[in-house]
Amino acid sequence: MARDLTTGTGLRGGRLRVYLGSAPGVGKTYRMLDEARRRQERGADVVVGYIECHGRRHTEAMLAGLEVLPRARRAYRDAEFEEMDLDGALARRPAVLLVDELAHTNIPGGRHAKRWQDVEELLAAGIDVVTTVNIQHLESLNDVVRKITGIPQRETVPDEVVRRADQIELVDMAPQSLRRRMAHGNIYRAEKVDAALSNYFRVGNLTALRELALLWVAGRVDEGLRDYRASHKIDRVWETRERVVVALTGGPEGETLIRRAARISDRTAGGELLAVHVSRSDGLAGASSGALAQQRQLVETLGGSYHVVVGDDVPTALLTFARAHHATQLVLGTSRRGRINRFLTGPGTGQTTVDASEDIDVHMVTHEFTGRGRLPSLGRRHSRRRTIAGYLAGLVLPWLLTALLSQAHHSINLTTDALIFQLGVVIVALLGGAVSALLASFVASVLLNYYFIPPIHSLTIGETNNIVALVVFAAIALTVSTVVDHAGRLTSRAARATAEAETLSTLAGSVLRGADALPALLEKSRTAFGMRAVALLSRADGEVLAHSEGGHGGGQAGGHGGGREREDGNEPEGDRPGEGAGPYETTEVPAGEGAVLVLTGRRLPAADQRVLTAFAAHLAAALERDRLAVAAAEVEPIRAADRMRTALLAAVSHDLRTPLAAARASVGSLRSPDVEFSAEDQAELLATADESLVKLTRLVDNLLDMSRLQAGALTLHLTETHLDEILPRALDSLPDPYAPVQPPDLTVDIEEGAPPVLADPPLLERVLANVITNALRHNAPGVPVLVTASHHADQVEIRVIDRGPGIAPEDRDRVFLPFQRLGDTDNTTGVGLGLALSRGLAEAMGGSLEVEETPGGGTTMLLTLPAAGRGEAGS
């Protein structure tokens, strides 16, 4: 399967086309040669700069009729290798040059260390280049591939080199098809097939690599689409991928909305779920911090991302965020407000968002809390729109009541008229507050006097009783409006106190949670107070210890969690994060003895200072905890060394004493003047002393090497080492009773053509001797231990296979700990350093030592070492 992406950027003189493989053997080189033949048939000047066929006959057949550039030969470590002739390619200057294995490391002696650097020079010279690379060689995926396959990739190419390609074509193949190609001998030679199928080419490995390749190319396509839309100023949503944004208020309906949005995004492949909470910039949010934290956890559990934006106009902030992320659908919950509430306060967030959504589909999701809200909250601070609505109601509502009452003046009396006007004043007070209620009471008093108190249509009052009634009406209206406004202020304070309590509770929990408390607290402080940026600075030198920065203005995306710290540790322009970008104010609060909390954004009212001080105190506690954690981490190596010394002393108390005692007894007997020993007895005593001293020397060497490994002071001399030379020496150095070892106790099978390894010969000899000794000790009687060596990619794999009792999966890591002798009842076999030392030495040489289960029973020790002077052999 092939996917083609054309960008046409033309940033260099030559154009680069990359065949990106999901795994070795999928056919990148074959596809590249097929493309070369097509171009040649169209009359293009095509030259093969470097092709690695790996003995695959179908690939070699594709070279027929193509001009092949002679290779350069370079000597390295007493051997001669072939490389692409860069100078020859520049002199030949074809229109199109084929260069295989982009991530290859060049043999020293050329102009560049990496082949991708050669390609950059060819492109700069105006030569079009067609090349190949596997997904596992991209730098950004190196650690991911190692976790999946267990094999490190030492040859990598920067992602940006591949991203800048004018064309990227993904060469893909189903894992089962690739394994069949392997089994038929179309990728590796027959003797390497079984090892490859049971290791790197497992179905799980190939499936994971395939997914990585598809996702990487999909991201590249997405980048190209964004660049195209930006360059052509296209603002409308293109529904190339379903991106579902769910709006969260922190209310109880949040989990229902999240699950509904997740189901919508899962209906199509590649769907993306984004949750967003709009935090108002007028102080502490009214939303429950605990509820939002739980909803955020649910979103991330379902594979989505959580964002916080700051904005007073919620519908505008939601739609701005949705358009910035190219969302195709927006999920909101139906209003919790009741009918009376909606009538008094007008259309809510949902209806306003629907009216302004344009090409974004808006889903209004019903839930069990729909319509269960209360009347307009007296504690909510009146927005400008609501204040204006209150003034208009104060002017218009008395006139509407006058018109209605005028139609029924024959059936109701003045008392009823006054009470109805009184009700109108209360409604205005609920809607707009005290000032609009005073305006309504004044207008109602005038209208009541003019239209309903005799003489009608006159502002004069004929009876004293009516004067009293009008005065009482005005007094009641003023009193009611004042009481309503006062109740609103009290409710506002209570709501704010609740929000502060929840915020402080969240802060305390954040400090107790541990490692991520500091960035979480900074992010919480930024969103809680509606600030543009928040930073924690050192008092001593002004160094930025941590910071959180959001969007510029309402509705701008604040990133994951509202903001994040810059990866390079540098700040944007200005001495403080966020400075120099607009008319912002800076607030500074001490955060302990050595730090200060700096907030950049709006002016903070005095009411916020108390909670802000609590934030600073919690930040100081989190900072101090981090400092203590660093100090504890520095102490841990010392503790580990102490534990090592204690274990060492306990372990060697017997193992050192035994050979010392035997050697001393033998030498003492020989020196004794009281006894005359025969020649045979003397030889036996000398042999005993010699054997004891050899054991003692080996033990001391192991202890010294383990100490050097623990201290990081082991000196390595890595050189090209041939296995057929080092293995006999390792077998000769086996301890008694395993030396000398020979068939049928042990069988050695080194793959023909296996390259030398990059290793320290004496250390590799010791690693092999330790591992083989361990296998011989636990092997079943009458069955030989098998030692094999095979070449895979840029590594050599050495397997030591026994048919013993095996090692339980839960114990496979423990066998590499110092002073472990799992299952041994005899403690005369050493202090348990052999495997621990072997793994340490293997890792020091750039390799690894792992335990695998031998099919049919037993243990396989897999020693992996880098091949010397070789590139990848599996492209």
PDB file of all heavy atoms in Angstrom, residues 672-690:
ATOM      1  N   SER A 672      55.750 -26.473  56.635  1.00  0.00           N
ATOM      2  CA  SER A 672      55.895 -27.098  57.955  1.00  0.00           C
ATOM      3  C   SER A 672      57.155 -27.974  57.993  1.00  0.00           C
ATOM      4  O   SER A 672      57.333 -28.867  57.142  1.00  0.00           O
ATOM      5  CB  SER A 672      54.669 -27.949  58.283  1.00  0.00           C
ATOM      6  OG  SER A 672      54.873 -28.643  59.493  1.00  0.00           O
ATOM      7  N   PRO A 673      58.048 -27.796  58.978  1.00  0.00           N
ATOM      8  CA  PRO A 673      59.271 -28.623  59.072  1.00  0.00           C
ATOM      9  C   PRO A 673      59.019 -29.987  59.693  1.00  0.00           C
ATOM     10  O   PRO A 673      59.886 -30.858  59.683  1.00  0.00           O
ATOM     11  CB  PRO A 673      60.192 -27.772  59.956  1.00  0.00           C
ATOM     12  CG  PRO A 673      59.256 -27.001  60.822  1.00  0.00           C
ATOM     13  CD  PRO A 673      58.033 -26.736  59.997  1.00  0.00           C
ATOM     14  N   ASP A 674      57.820 -30.187  60.231  1.00  0.00           N
ATOM     15  CA  ASP A 674      57.541 -31.429  60.954  1.00  0.00           C
ATOM     16  C   ASP A 674      57.120 -32.570  60.046  1.00  0.00           C
ATOM     17  O   ASP A 674      57.130 -33.733  60.454  1.00  0.00           O
ATOM     18  CB  ASP A 674      56.447 -31.191  62.003  1.00  0.00           C
ATOM     19  CG  ASP A 674      56.856 -30.127  63.017  1.00  0.00           C
ATOM     20  OD1 ASP A 674      58.078 -29.997  63.253  1.00  0.00           O
ATOM     21  OD2 ASP A 674      55.953 -29.436  63.534  1.00  0.00           O
ATOM     22  N   VAL A 675      56.686 -32.229  58.834  1.00  0.00           N
ATOM     23  CA  VAL A 675      56.155 -33.268  57.951  1.00  0.00           C
ATOM     24  C   VAL A 675      56.912 -33.237  56.642  1.00  0.00           C
ATOM     25  O   VAL A 675      57.168 -32.165  56.078  1.00  0.00           O
ATOM     26  CB  VAL A 675      54.649 -33.070  57.695  1.00  0.00           C
ATOM     27  CG1 VAL A 675      54.113 -34.188  56.799  1.00  0.00           C
ATOM     28  CG2 VAL A 675      53.885 -33.018  59.011  1.00  0.00           C
ATOM     29  N   GLU A 676      57.277 -34.431  56.190  1.00  0.00           N
ATOM     30  CA  GLU A 676      57.889 -34.519  54.871  1.00  0.00           C
ATOM     31  C   GLU A 676      56.852 -35.078  53.895  1.00  0.00           C
ATOM     32  O   GLU A 676      56.288 -36.140  54.111  1.00  0.00           O
ATOM     33  CB  GLU A 676      59.114 -35.437  54.916  1.00  0.00           C
ATOM     34  CG  GLU A 676      60.289 -34.877  55.651  1.00  0.00           C
ATOM     35  CD  GLU A 676      61.538 -35.726  55.470  1.00  0.00           C
ATOM     36  OE1 GLU A 676      61.488 -36.650  54.619  1.00  0.00           O
ATOM     37  OE2 GLU A 676      62.523 -35.455  56.168  1.00  0.00           O
ATOM     38  N   PHE A 677      56.606 -34.291  52.851  1.00  0.00           N
ATOM     39  CA  PHE A 677      55.603 -34.691  51.856  1.00  0.00           C
ATOM     40  C   PHE A 677      56.293 -35.300  50.654  1.00  0.00           C
ATOM     41  O   PHE A 677      57.393 -34.879  50.251  1.00  0.00           O
ATOM     42  CB  PHE A 677      54.788 -33.467  51.401  1.00  0.00           C
ATOM     43  CG  PHE A 677      53.928 -32.891  52.494  1.00  0.00           C
ATOM     44  CD1 PHE A 677      54.356 -31.782  53.208  1.00  0.00           C
ATOM     45  CD2 PHE A 677      52.692 -33.452  52.793  1.00  0.00           C
ATOM     46  CE1 PHE A 677      53.577 -31.236  54.198  1.00  0.00           C
ATOM     47  CE2 PHE A 677      51.914 -32.902  53.806  1.00  0.00           C
ATOM     48  CZ  PHE A 677      52.341 -31.796  54.514  1.00  0.00           C
ATOM     49  N   SER A 678      55.610 -36.269  50.092  1.00  0.00           N
ATOM     50  CA  SER A 678      56.106 -36.855  48.853  1.00  0.00           C
ATOM     51  C   SER A 678      55.904 -35.871  47.712  1.00  0.00           C
ATOM     52  O   SER A 678      55.211 -34.852  47.843  1.00  0.00           O
ATOM     53  CB  SER A 678      55.362 -38.168  48.553  1.00  0.00           C
ATOM     54  OG  SER A 678      53.987 -37.900  48.313  1.00  0.00           O
ATOM     55  N   ALA A 679      56.511 -36.182  46.593  1.00  0.00           N
ATOM     56  CA  ALA A 679      56.370 -35.296  45.418  1.00  0.00           C
ATOM     57  C   ALA A 679      54.923 -35.177  44.995  1.00  0.00           C
ATOM     58  O   ALA A 679      54.457 -34.101  44.591  1.00  0.00           O
ATOM     59  CB  ALA A 679      57.239 -35.823  44.275  1.00  0.00           C
ATOM     60  N   GLU A 680      54.173 -36.279  45.091  1.00  0.00           N
ATOM     61  CA  GLU A 680      52.754 -36.230  44.699  1.00  0.00           C
ATOM     62  C   GLU A 680      51.958 -35.360  45.664  1.00  0.00           C
ATOM     63  O   GLU A 680      51.097 -34.577  45.244  1.00  0.00           O
ATOM     64  CB  GLU A 680      52.194 -37.651  44.671  1.00  0.00           C
ATOM     65  CG  GLU A 680      52.785 -38.531  43.577  1.00  0.00           C
ATOM     66  CD  GLU A 680      52.180 -39.915  43.595  1.00  0.00           C
ATOM     67  OE1 GLU A 680      51.362 -40.190  44.500  1.00  0.00           O
ATOM     68  OE2 GLU A 680      52.534 -40.724  42.707  1.00  0.00           O
ATOM     69  N   ASP A 681      52.263 -35.507  46.992  1.00  0.00           N
ATOM     70  CA  ASP A 681      51.545 -34.689  47.975  1.00  0.00           C
ATOM     71  C   ASP A 681      51.858 -33.206  47.788  1.00  0.00           C
ATOM     72  O   ASP A 681      50.973 -32.335  47.893  1.00  0.00           O
ATOM     73  CB  ASP A 681      51.912 -35.126  49.386  1.00  0.00           C
ATOM     74  CG  ASP A 681      51.379 -36.513  49.718  1.00  0.00           C
ATOM     75  OD1 ASP A 681      50.392 -36.919  49.049  1.00  0.00           O
ATOM     76  OD2 ASP A 681      51.936 -37.160  50.615  1.00  0.00           O
ATOM     77  N   GLN A 682      53.124 -32.904  47.521  1.00  0.00           N
ATOM     78  CA  GLN A 682      53.488 -31.499  47.292  1.00  0.00           C
ATOM     79  C   GLN A 682      52.769 -30.937  46.063  1.00  0.00           C
ATOM     80  O   GLN A 682      52.282 -29.807  46.071  1.00  0.00           O
ATOM     81  CB  GLN A 682      55.014 -31.385  47.135  1.00  0.00           C
ATOM     82  CG  GLN A 682      55.793 -31.640  48.399  1.00  0.00           C
ATOM     83  CD  GLN A 682      57.286 -31.488  48.183  1.00  0.00           C
ATOM     84  OE1 GLN A 682      57.751 -31.155  47.092  1.00  0.00           O
ATOM     85  NE2 GLN A 682      58.071 -31.755  49.234  1.00  0.00           N
ATOM     86  N   ALA A 683      52.715 -31.740  44.996  1.00  0.00           N
ATOM     87  CA  ALA A 683      52.026 -31.273  43.787  1.00  0.00           C
ATOM     88  C   ALA A 683      50.546 -31.023  44.053  1.00  0.00           C
ATOM     89  O   ALA A 683      49.953 -30.042  43.576  1.00  0.00           O
ATOM     90  CB  ALA A 683      52.197 -32.292  42.657  1.00  0.00           C
ATOM     91  N   GLU A 684      49.935 -31.923  44.868  1.00  0.00           N
ATOM     92  CA  GLU A 684      48.512 -31.754  45.182  1.00  0.00           C
ATOM     93  C   GLU A 684      48.277 -30.502  46.023  1.00  0.00           C
ATOM     94  O   GLU A 684      47.332 -29.741  45.795  1.00  0.00           O
ATOM     95  CB  GLU A 684      48.001 -32.987  45.910  1.00  0.00           C
ATOM     96  CG  GLU A 684      46.503 -32.926  46.198  1.00  0.00           C
ATOM     97  CD  GLU A 684      45.995 -34.193  46.865  1.00  0.00           C
ATOM     98  OE1 GLU A 684      46.780 -35.164  46.973  1.00  0.00           O
ATOM     99  OE2 GLU A 684      44.829 -34.191  47.277  1.00  0.00           O
ATOM    100  N   LEU A 685      49.145 -30.250  47.004  1.00  0.00           N
ATOM    101  CA  LEU A 685      49.005 -29.048  47.838  1.00  0.00           C
ATOM    102  C   LEU A 685      49.208 -27.784  47.006  1.00  0.00           C
ATOM    103  O   LEU A 685      48.493 -26.777  47.176  1.00  0.00           O
ATOM    104  CB  LEU A 685      49.991 -29.101  49.006  1.00  0.00           C
ATOM    105  CG  LEU A 685      49.687 -30.119  50.098  1.00  0.00           C
ATOM    106  CD1 LEU A 685      50.843 -30.204  51.093  1.00  0.00           C
ATOM    107  CD2 LEU A 685      48.379 -29.748  50.815  1.00  0.00           C
ATOM    108  N   LEU A 686      50.209 -27.820  46.126  1.00  0.00           N
ATOM    109  CA  LEU A 686      50.430 -26.651  45.256  1.00  0.00           C
ATOM    110  C   LEU A 686      49.242 -26.423  44.336  1.00  0.00           C
ATOM    111  O   LEU A 686      48.840 -25.275  44.075  1.00  0.00           O
ATOM    112  CB  LEU A 686      51.719 -26.845  44.451  1.00  0.00           C
ATOM    113  CG  LEU A 686      53.025 -26.729  45.231  1.00  0.00           C
ATOM    114  CD1 LEU A 686      54.210 -27.115  44.352  1.00  0.00           C
ATOM    115  CD2 LEU A 686      53.196 -25.300  45.757  1.00  0.00           C
ATOM    116  N   ALA A 687      48.660 -27.496  43.802  1.00  0.00           N
ATOM    117  CA  ALA A 687      47.486 -27.355  42.921  1.00  0.00           C
ATOM    118  C   ALA A 687      46.312 -26.772  43.693  1.00  0.00           C
ATOM    119  O   ALA A 687      45.565 -25.917  43.186  1.00  0.00           O
ATOM    120  CB  ALA A 687      47.130 -28.721  42.327  1.00  0.00           C
ATOM    121  N   THR A 688      46.145 -27.233  44.962  1.00  0.00           N
ATOM    122  CA  THR A 688      45.052 -26.693  45.794  1.00  0.00           C
ATOM    123  C   THR A 688      45.258 -25.200  46.038  1.00  0.00           C
ATOM    124  O   THR A 688      44.328 -24.398  45.944  1.00  0.00           O
ATOM    125  CB  THR A 688      44.971 -27.443  47.123  1.00  0.00           C
ATOM    126  OG1 THR A 688      44.739 -28.823  46.869  1.00  0.00           O
ATOM    127  CG2 THR A 688      43.854 -26.878  47.994  1.00  0.00           C
ATOM    128  N   ALA A 689      46.486 -24.809  46.385  1.00  0.00           N
ATOM    129  CA  ALA A 689      46.765 -23.392  46.605  1.00  0.00           C
ATOM    130  C   ALA A 689      46.540 -22.580  45.336  1.00  0.00           C
ATOM    131  O   ALA A 689      45.966 -21.480  45.369  1.00  0.00           O
ATOM    132  CB  ALA A 689      48.195 -23.223  47.107  1.00  0.00           C
ATOM    133  N   ASP A 690      47.022 -23.135  44.211  1.00  0.00           N
ATOM    134  CA  ASP A 690      46.850 -22.420  42.937  1.00  0.00           C
ATOM    135  C   ASP A 690      45.380 -22.259  42.598  1.00  0.00           C
ATOM    136  O   ASP A 690      44.930 -21.176  42.187  1.00  0.00           O
ATOM    137  CB  ASP A 690      47.585 -23.176  41.833  1.00  0.00           C
ATOM    138  CG  ASP A 690      47.468 -22.458  40.493  1.00  0.00           C
ATOM    139  OD1 ASP A 690      48.033 -21.350  40.351  1.00  0.00           O
ATOM    140  OD2 ASP A 690      46.789 -22.995  39.584  1.00  0.00           O
TER     141      ASP A 690
END
